[in-house]
Amino acid sequence: QVQLVESGGGLVQAGGSLRLSCAASGLTFIRYAMGWFRQAPGKEREFVAAITRSGSRTYYADSVKGRFTISRDTAKNTVYLLLNSLKSEDTAIYYCAAKLAPYDYTRLLNYDYWGQGTQVTVSS
């Protein structure tokens, strides 16, 4: 059974930082690209960042480029999202996802497995 478990969310002031983690189990981690998405209240789930299976390439939404960093640790079967310079508009539930196919990393529907999400709240 595949499980993706996010952690690291919380309440932070604007300008602050958080590091989200997503621990994967039940799958061969190195075969999967990993992504982070988020969903704010009343809005659709949107792409945030993705990293290829090898970790050699990363992709970011324009709204987080230069502020967020995605990385992965194969030994720990974990993907991370470092959130810096947080803004109130970053407030959302952040979801981790895994996909087998090595293309279309920004498209939500292409992901095979999803975590339950972790709440990030940025106070202004």
Side-chain angles (χ1 to χ4, degrees):
Q1 181 182 357
V2 175
Q3 281 194 311
L4 302 177
V5 180
E6 302 96 334
S7 61
L11 175 63
V12 62
Q13 288 188 333
S17 298
L18 283 173
R19 190 180 79 156
L20 307 183
S21 300
C22 171
S25 61
L27 53 73
T28 305
F29 188 64
I30 59 172
R31 294 185 62 197
Y32 286 81
M34 302 297 294
W36 286 95
F37 292 75
R38 67 186 181 186
Q39 188 166 17
K43 295 188 176 181
E44 293 186 349
R45 195 172 298 188
E46 64 176 5
F47 170 74
V48 175
I51 187 166
T52 57
R53 293 177 294 185
S54 66
S56 61
R57 286 177 291 159
T58 57
Y59 303 85
Y60 296 95
D62 288 342
S63 58
V64 307
K65 203 170 293 183
R67 299 189 299 122
F68 291 6
T69 303
I70 188 171
S71 61
R72 64 191 295 160
D73 185 334
T74 301
K76 296 182 178 179
N77 282 10
T78 300
V79 62
Y80 304 98
L81 186 67
L82 178 62
L83 292 66
N84 289 326
S85 303
L86 281 161
K87 306 175 182 179
S88 57
E89 51 262 45
D90 294 318
T91 294
I93 300 174
Y94 283 71
Y95 297 90
C96 168
K99 71 187 301 295
L100 196 57
Y103 52 80
D104 285 346
Y105 298 102
T106 67
R107 294 187 66 185
L108 182 151
L109 293 178
N110 287 338
Y111 281 78
D112 304 295
Y113 301 106
W114 291 85
Q116 293 301 305
T118 185
Q119 176 72 49
V120 172
T121 303
V122 183
S123 62
S124 55

